[in-house]
Amino acid sequence: PAPRAEQRPLAFLLPILCLVQVHLWAGHRFDGTMATTDPTLPVVKNMVLLDSEGKRIAVKYYSQDWPTVQAQSSFERSLWDKTSRTNARQEAEIVMFDDYIIVYKYLGDLMFYVTGSVDENELILFQVLTAFFESISIMLRQQVEKKTVLENLDLVLLAMDELIDGGVIVETEPVMIASRATMRGSDEPTVGGGAAPTGGMPMLAEKSLANAFLSAKEHLTRSLLR
């Protein structure tokens, strides 16, 4: 039988996020394998970016739960089938799917997903999801759409690496992630023809930080007034 999905909005979690401190660990690198050093550390099983038709744009898997490309593709298709008709544009949503907790949000013609184990902290997964799409939005000057992402796929993958290392959360501040990914991208050959945005990262970081604070303030105010 098909996995059952249970969906509920995450708007009620937003005020709590202001009080949550995520303990990050930035020690040894794991080269893509799931971290096992400390079982109390929050871990992410995958980050998935799909287009509006459920086709893969960029993914990072940190668990052997999906050992083959075929298994990953099957998971992505089933996930898209379960979530493609939900309303996750205004607010991120959460779904219990196939014994995993998945938080997701639609932005433009793209679908952002973060997966954790069934007993993982929802707030932490939501914070990772927010860092995921906001860092990409910063790097792409708010032009988050399939065409722009594909043209800058190297930066997107670098940002994912700055956020998660081997399943361990190493950074959740979108401006920092965007800054590091952009600096690394300027020092490395581009992939797939994508070029790093120009214009000076310090100015970008300054503007993005102000925008991030304003956006967070407005978002929280709307949530509290509902």
Side-chain angles (χ1 to χ4, degrees), residues 45 65-66 75 95-102 115-116 118:
K45 287 185 173 289
D65 292 1
W66 306 274
F75 171 79
V95 61
M96 299 290 295
F97 173 71
D98 201 16
D99 294 327
Y100 299 102
I101 292 180
I102 300 168
T115 302
V118 70

Side-chain angles (χ1 to χ4, degrees), residues 192-205:
T198 58
M201 194 61 203
M203 181 178 296
L204 170 61

Side-chain angles (χ1 to χ4, degrees), residues 82-122:
K82 287 293 182 182
T83 60
S84 60
R85 294 177 179 84
T86 60
N87 182 19
R89 292 193 178 277
Q90 297 299 322
E91 304 289 347
E93 292 193 8
I94 184 170
V95 61
M96 299 290 295
F97 173 71
D98 201 16
D99 294 327
Y100 299 102
I101 292 180
I102 300 168
V103 292
Y104 63 100
K105 182 176 175 62
Y106 305 156
L107 198 60
D109 56 356
L110 298 172
M111 308 169 78
F112 294 77
Y113 299 91
V114 173
T115 302
S117 63
V118 70
D119 56 351
E120 193 56 80
N121 189 310
E122 298 173 0

Side-chain angles (χ1 to χ4, degrees), residues 32-35 43-47 60-68 72 100 115 117 166-167:
T33 59
M34 180 62 73
V43 292
V44 171
K45 287 185 173 289
N46 66 43
M47 290 192 294
K60 292 282 185 177
Y61 282 84
Y62 311 104
S63 168
Q64 290 302 311
D65 292 1
W66 306 274
T68 66
Q72 295 173 5
Y100 299 102
T115 302
S117 63

Side-chain angles (χ1 to χ4, degrees), residues 35-69:
T36 58
T37 303
D38 186 347
T40 66
L41 287 174
V43 292
V44 171
K45 287 185 173 289
N46 66 43
M47 290 192 294
V48 175
L49 178 58
L50 306 178
D51 68 10
S52 59
E53 298 179 348
K55 296 179 180 178
R56 174 186 288 198
I57 300 297
V59 300
K60 292 282 185 177
Y61 282 84
Y62 311 104
S63 168
Q64 290 302 311
D65 292 1
W66 306 274
T68 66
V69 174

Side-chain angles (χ1 to χ4, degrees), residues 89-192:
R89 292 193 178 277
Q90 297 299 322
E91 304 289 347
E93 292 193 8
I94 184 170
V95 61
M96 299 290 295
F97 173 71
D98 201 16
D99 294 327
Y100 299 102
I101 292 180
I102 300 168
V103 292
Y104 63 100
K105 182 176 175 62
Y106 305 156
L107 198 60
D109 56 356
L110 298 172
M111 308 169 78
F112 294 77
Y113 299 91
V114 173
T115 302
S117 63
V118 70
D119 56 351
E120 193 56 80
N121 189 310
E122 298 173 0
L123 296 175
I124 294 177
L125 294 178
F126 176 69
Q127 194 166 17
V128 172
L129 175 68
T130 302
F132 185 13
F133 66 77
E134 285 191 356
S135 61
I136 292 176
S137 181
I138 289 171
M139 291 189 301
L140 301 184
R141 307 293 203 278
Q142 314 303 320
Q143 298 178 10
V144 184
E145 56 187 23
K146 180 179 178 179
K147 179 178 182 295
T148 311
V149 167
L150 289 176
E151 290 174 348
N152 297 274
L153 189 57
D154 54 327
L155 289 180
V156 173
L157 294 173
L158 287 172
M160 295 169 77
D161 288 340
E162 291 292 337
L163 173 56
I164 303 292
D165 183 8
V168 177
I169 306 168
V170 293
E171 179 61 73
T172 58
E173 171 52 56
V175 173
M176 291 299 298
I177 294 170
S179 177
R180 293 171 183 169
T182 303
M183 287 189 292
R184 286 178 58 187
S186 65
D187 294 335
E188 298 178 7
T190 58
V191 178

